[in-house]
Amino acid sequence: MYKCKNRGVVVGPGDDAGVFQYKSNLLVETVDVITPIVDDPYTFGAICAANSVSDVYAMGGTPLTALAILGFASCDFAPAVIRSLLKGAVDKLNEAGTCLIGGHSIEDNEFKFGFAISGVVEKNNILRAGGASAGDILVLTKEIGTGILTSAVKLGKMRRPSLKPAIDSMLMLNKTAAGAAVYAGAKGATDVTGFGFLGHALNMAKRSRVNMVIHNNKIPLMKRVKDFIAAGAVPKGAKRNLEYCSKNTSFASNISNVDKLSLSDPQTSGGMLISLCPEGMKKFDKVAGREKMSYSVIGEVVEGKGKLTVK
Ligand code: CO
Ligand code: CO
């Protein structure tokens, strides 16, 4: 992979966001662009914003500014649609304390929207994908299933109003989760997005040079995810993710193909996967309780060289 030799690079490509030191400041920078997953432009704009700032939270940082990137066929969309999209985005960015300070749009046959986000982080607060240690406990802060459920709606297998809980989950910022992780002294964390739970857990395991033991029955799933997988509402990305992860994952014999696909479901604006030492766990739980943030303990970190066991 491309490596920049500049001494300012603190975290380079391969983590949730890059970190660059300029004088005594640590800048966190990331970009994310997605295609529509819901019909309502206001909601889609807000989900895009939550999804884009998430990578800054996943580094333990604070997102400060945003640049919008919009690709659309100008003849197909009324200005009111774009206004509504931007309104949704700005409202969500404001919730994150992030200012939209510019952007760029291009003609594109396929609608795309996203943001480049810049923020700051304290040196001791940096959460890395490679920061998990043997003996840590793994927690996950959102339910899995946004890819399966949105494809069930697209295929006409699920009614639109039933998507509400998944939409609410995608709209939720990872701010509280990241704050709790930093307070608890966590060093390892990532957000669960396009590579699915397994893909992101495996990336953490590889970069941390540890193995992870995942308890499938502890993984929080959105309602009816397994039914829709069984009914064939499986995004291509889930199959791709599973194939990619299978080489380095050993599944217990009781783990079904439906289970494996749910663990591989690509998430939009997914939750954080955080690695915590047992003492950190108590602090994390204290913040979660105070902030009414739900989370699940889903596994543990053991010595190894970058493999997963799912049982
Ligand atoms: Co990420
Ligand atoms: Co990303």
Side-chain angles (χ1 to χ4, degrees), residues 180 183-186 276-285:
Y183 175 77
L276 289 160
C277 65
E279 305 81 73
M281 192 65 229
K282 287 181 208 128
K283 287 184 161 183
F284 185 85
D285 186 67

Short mmCIF file of all heavy atoms in Angstrom, two decimals, residues 180 183-186 276-285:
data_model
loop_
_atom_site.label_atom_id
_atom_site.label_comp_id
_atom_site.label_asym_id
_atom_site.label_seq_id
_atom_site.Cartn_x
_atom_site.Cartn_y
_atom_site.Cartn_z
N ALA A 180 -17.53 7.30 25.14
CA ALA A 180 -17.46 6.28 26.19
C ALA A 180 -16.19 5.45 26.04
O ALA A 180 -15.53 5.12 27.02
CB ALA A 180 -18.70 5.38 26.14
N TYR A 183 -13.23 7.59 27.19
CA TYR A 183 -13.29 7.71 28.65
C TYR A 183 -12.83 6.42 29.33
O TYR A 183 -12.16 6.45 30.35
CB TYR A 183 -14.73 8.06 29.07
CG TYR A 183 -14.93 8.09 30.56
CD1 TYR A 183 -14.48 9.18 31.32
CD2 TYR A 183 -15.57 7.04 31.22
CE1 TYR A 183 -14.66 9.20 32.69
CE2 TYR A 183 -15.75 7.05 32.59
CZ TYR A 183 -15.30 8.14 33.33
OH TYR A 183 -15.46 8.16 34.68
N ALA A 184 -13.17 5.29 28.69
CA ALA A 184 -12.83 3.99 29.27
C ALA A 184 -11.38 3.60 28.99
O ALA A 184 -10.94 2.53 29.40
CB ALA A 184 -13.78 2.92 28.72
N GLY A 185 -10.66 4.45 28.25
CA GLY A 185 -9.25 4.17 27.99
C GLY A 185 -9.01 3.16 26.88
O GLY A 185 -7.93 2.58 26.80
N ALA A 186 -10.03 2.96 26.03
CA ALA A 186 -9.86 2.01 24.91
C ALA A 186 -8.77 2.49 23.97
O ALA A 186 -8.54 3.69 23.83
CB ALA A 186 -11.18 1.85 24.16
N LEU A 276 -12.01 -3.40 24.80
CA LEU A 276 -11.82 -2.80 26.12
C LEU A 276 -11.19 -3.77 27.10
O LEU A 276 -11.58 -4.95 27.13
CB LEU A 276 -13.19 -2.41 26.69
CG LEU A 276 -13.93 -1.23 26.06
CD1 LEU A 276 -15.41 -1.31 26.39
CD2 LEU A 276 -13.35 0.09 26.55
N CYS A 277 -10.27 -3.29 27.90
CA CYS A 277 -9.74 -4.15 28.96
C CYS A 277 -10.82 -4.24 30.04
O CYS A 277 -11.72 -3.40 30.09
CB CYS A 277 -8.43 -3.59 29.52
SG CYS A 277 -8.64 -2.02 30.36
N PRO A 278 -10.78 -5.30 30.90
CA PRO A 278 -11.86 -5.49 31.88
C PRO A 278 -12.11 -4.25 32.76
O PRO A 278 -13.27 -3.95 33.05
CB PRO A 278 -11.37 -6.68 32.70
CG PRO A 278 -10.49 -7.45 31.75
CD PRO A 278 -9.82 -6.42 30.90
N GLU A 279 -11.05 -3.53 33.16
CA GLU A 279 -11.26 -2.33 34.00
C GLU A 279 -11.96 -1.22 33.18
O GLU A 279 -12.82 -0.51 33.70
CB GLU A 279 -9.94 -1.76 34.54
CG GLU A 279 -9.08 -2.76 35.32
CD GLU A 279 -8.27 -3.65 34.40
OE1 GLU A 279 -7.30 -3.16 33.80
OE2 GLU A 279 -8.61 -4.84 34.26
N GLY A 280 -11.56 -1.11 31.91
CA GLY A 280 -12.19 -0.14 31.01
C GLY A 280 -13.66 -0.43 30.81
O GLY A 280 -14.49 0.47 30.68
N MET A 281 -13.97 -1.71 30.81
CA MET A 281 -15.36 -2.16 30.62
C MET A 281 -16.30 -1.52 31.65
O MET A 281 -17.40 -1.10 31.32
CB MET A 281 -15.35 -3.69 30.76
CG MET A 281 -16.60 -4.39 30.33
SD MET A 281 -16.89 -4.19 28.57
CE MET A 281 -18.58 -3.69 28.66
N LYS A 282 -15.83 -1.44 32.90
CA LYS A 282 -16.68 -0.87 33.96
C LYS A 282 -16.96 0.60 33.69
O LYS A 282 -18.07 1.08 33.85
CB LYS A 282 -15.99 -1.02 35.33
CG LYS A 282 -15.99 -2.45 35.83
CD LYS A 282 -15.31 -2.55 37.20
CE LYS A 282 -14.70 -3.94 37.39
NZ LYS A 282 -13.28 -3.92 37.79
N LYS A 283 -15.91 1.32 33.25
CA LYS A 283 -16.08 2.75 32.94
C LYS A 283 -17.01 2.93 31.75
O LYS A 283 -17.85 3.83 31.73
CB LYS A 283 -14.72 3.37 32.62
CG LYS A 283 -13.81 3.56 33.82
CD LYS A 283 -12.55 4.28 33.37
CE LYS A 283 -11.81 4.91 34.54
NZ LYS A 283 -10.63 5.65 34.09
N PHE A 284 -16.83 2.08 30.75
CA PHE A 284 -17.66 2.15 29.55
C PHE A 284 -19.13 1.96 29.93
O PHE A 284 -20.02 2.70 29.51
CB PHE A 284 -17.23 1.08 28.54
CG PHE A 284 -17.94 1.15 27.22
CD1 PHE A 284 -17.49 2.00 26.22
CD2 PHE A 284 -19.06 0.38 26.97
CE1 PHE A 284 -18.14 2.07 24.99
CE2 PHE A 284 -19.72 0.44 25.76
CZ PHE A 284 -19.26 1.29 24.76
N ASP A 285 -19.36 0.97 30.78
CA ASP A 285 -20.73 0.65 31.20
C ASP A 285 -21.36 1.81 31.97
O ASP A 285 -22.55 2.09 31.84
CB ASP A 285 -20.72 -0.61 32.06
CG ASP A 285 -22.12 -1.05 32.40
OD1 ASP A 285 -22.85 -1.46 31.47
OD2 ASP A 285 -22.51 -0.95 33.58
#
